[in-house]
Amino acid sequence: CAALLCAAVEEIHNDNFEATVLGDDRVWVLEFYSKMCGSCKEFSPEWEKLTKSFSGVQYGKVSIDDKPGMALARKLGALKEGLPNVKLFKSHTPTSVMGGDIVTAAALKKKLTSLLAGQTNVDGVYKK
């Protein structure tokens, strides 16, 4: 895939969230996780598959193992929904994609495709 469409997964936290995710005109998908969470470890290969197979969005990871990540997870409701957690930012308001479950990359792709139906897509990149 083109370098522009398959950017690396960026570490996101409370200190860079506004500028990086909300300040970007591209759509973002964030995973909230903890290194101590067994379900998060089990979900990790599916997340990896998703980031490599579903293009047109920016990907980020939020670790709740540090204070800035925990603050962001609390603010966005990821902790109430459960970990691992995936949220879509196709506007300034998050859309829950997955919370507390382990979902396959194929199921996530299907859900994201549905959630992004009608979203502006410029040269293969989804825009807010």
Side-chain angles (χ1 to χ4, degrees):
C1 53
L4 187 64
L5 299 179
C6 282
V9 176
E10 199 164 335
E11 286 290 335
I12 304 296
H13 47 76
N14 207 38
D15 300 335
N16 70 355
F17 171 72
E18 246 180 73
T20 305
V21 177
L22 298 184
D24 193 346
D25 68 341
R26 296 170 294 179
V27 169
W28 279 76
V29 178
L30 299 183
E31 176 203 16
F32 295 80
Y33 72 100
S34 169
K35 291 177 187 164
M36 296 178 281
C37 164
S39 296
C40 297
K41 290 176 186 173
E42 195 175 329
F43 174 66
S44 185
E46 295 302 319
W47 171 254
E48 183 91 10
K49 285 181 206 169
L50 177 70
T51 64
K52 289 183 168 134
S53 65
F54 189 84
S55 60
V57 299
Q58 297 299 112
Y59 289 101
K61 291 180 79 163
V62 180
S63 171
I64 68 158
D65 296 331
D66 56 49
K67 286 182 182 180
M70 177 65 84
L72 182 60
R74 276 196 185 114
K75 183 165 64 176
L76 298 175
L79 296 179
K80 288 183 181 177
E81 294 172 8
L83 295 178
N85 190 294
V86 176
K87 292 196 176 299
L88 171 69
F89 290 84
K90 60 181 184 173
S91 67
H92 283 76
T93 306
T95 301
S96 183
V97 177
M98 180 190 96
D101 299 321
I102 298 170
V103 179
T104 65
L108 287 170
K109 284 168 60 173
K110 187 175 179 181
K111 186 158 188 182
L112 286 170
T113 299
S114 173
L115 289 169
L116 290 168
Q119 194 77 19
T120 302
N121 188 310
V122 178
D123 297 325
V125 178
Y126 288 103
K127 301 286 185 173
K128 291 181 186 153

